[in-house]
Amino acid sequence: MRLISPPLIRREQIQKKVSELAKEICRTIKIENLYVIVILKGAIFFASDLLRELPPIYSLDFIKAESYQGCSSSGEVRITDCHISKIEDKQVLLIEDILDTGLTTQKIYNCLIEHSPKDIRLCVLLEKKKSREGVTVLSDYVGFFIEDKFVVGYGMDYDGKYRNLPDIHIFEPW
Ligand code: IMP
Ligand code: MG
């Protein structure tokens, strides 16, 4: 197992990008009516930094999803915890750490759309450059596009480890 150094993305770059994303979000949606939903666990650090750069929002909730075994998606997404208040006619902002296959986001999006929100926007810190079969949801706000490599840090884990690293590193499990 190998944590590649130097980091792929350093904490200073993340901080700067988070501020830019917050500005872009403020420019493009009405924050005072914003219903934010954070996908756990990976997006925890990203969301808490991003949200502190936004003016007061309307509401904040969390959905917990699991699909990864080691370094790859099992293809089956389990929503293990879903506490959502009424999002009918609300502007929703979904915050996710990383878009890989897109299956997690697609499943959560399909689930939320049934509750008739006014609109759902997707904000991801990282998006892997790859094609996504059977996935129609696109991200509206992206921090960094990265190569199709497994990464850890700033919330992202390998089997539960490395989430609290302040920088983002490529991780090789072999
Ligand atoms: P997807 O469903 O394949 O798009 O993956 C979504 C979820 O898998 C993300 O929310 C992450 O929690 C996790 N994930 C995807 N790629 C990585 C990675 O490179 N490192 C750590 N977690 C990842
Ligand atoms: Mg995640």
Side-chain angles (χ1 to χ4, degrees):
M1 284 201 264
R2 208 152 66 102
L3 193 65
I4 307 293
S5 280
L8 178 67
I9 309 172
R10 292 185 183 278
R11 65 199 83 177
E12 299 80 14
Q13 293 170 277
I14 299 173
Q15 224 168 33
K16 187 165 171 277
K17 187 61 77 177
V18 167
S19 299
E20 288 169 8
L21 283 172
K23 288 196 185 84
E24 196 187 336
I25 291 167
C26 284
R27 263 204 319 273
T28 47
I29 39 183
K30 275 200 181 140
I31 304 297
E32 66 268 25
N33 296 327
L34 196 59
Y35 196 117
V36 175
I37 298 174
V38 179
I39 305 179
L40 295 178
K41 298 176 190 171
I44 174 172
F45 294 102
F46 174 44
S48 66
D49 285 344
L50 181 71
L51 290 173
R52 281 177 292 176
E53 299 246 3
L54 295 180
I57 55 165
Y58 175 78
S59 191
L60 173 63
D61 266 316
F62 302 91
I63 291 182
K64 194 168 166 196
E66 286 170 19
S67 62
Y68 264 60
Q69 286 163 348
C71 284
S72 55
S73 172
S74 65
E76 192 198 322
V77 182
R78 288 187 305 128
I79 296 179
T80 54
D81 221 327
C82 184
H83 298 290
I84 300 300
S85 317
K86 282 210 169 70
I87 57 167
E88 197 178 327
D89 296 327
K90 298 283 189 311
Q91 170 68 63
V92 173
L93 178 70
L94 200 52
I95 302 182
E96 172 64 309
D97 52 354
I98 182 164
L99 202 68
D100 183 4
T101 61
L103 292 173
T104 303
T105 325
Q106 183 75 62
K107 180 148 185 179
I108 291 172
Y109 188 95
N110 292 348
C111 196
L112 295 176
I113 213 82
E114 284 180 15
H115 298 270
S116 314
K118 184 173 162 215
D119 179 45
I120 303 175
R121 300 275 174 104
L122 172 64
C123 176
V124 298
L125 178 65
L126 306 179
E127 180 166 328
K128 293 185 189 177
K129 290 187 254 177
K130 65 198 289 183
S131 59
R132 299 188 169 83
E133 247 174 72
V135 172
T136 52
V137 178
L138 299 174
S139 40
D140 299 285
Y141 311 99
V142 182
F144 303 92
F145 288 95
I146 63 166
E147 297 304 318
D148 190 7
K149 298 266 169 62
F150 195 79
V151 292
V152 293
Y154 197 62
M156 289 165 284
D157 72 306
Y158 170 73
D159 281 349
K161 268 182 87 180
Y162 305 110
R163 279 196 204 278
N164 63 326
L165 295 179
D167 306 305
I168 295 170
H169 295 257
I170 291 176
F171 183 77
E172 289 179 348
W174 44 85

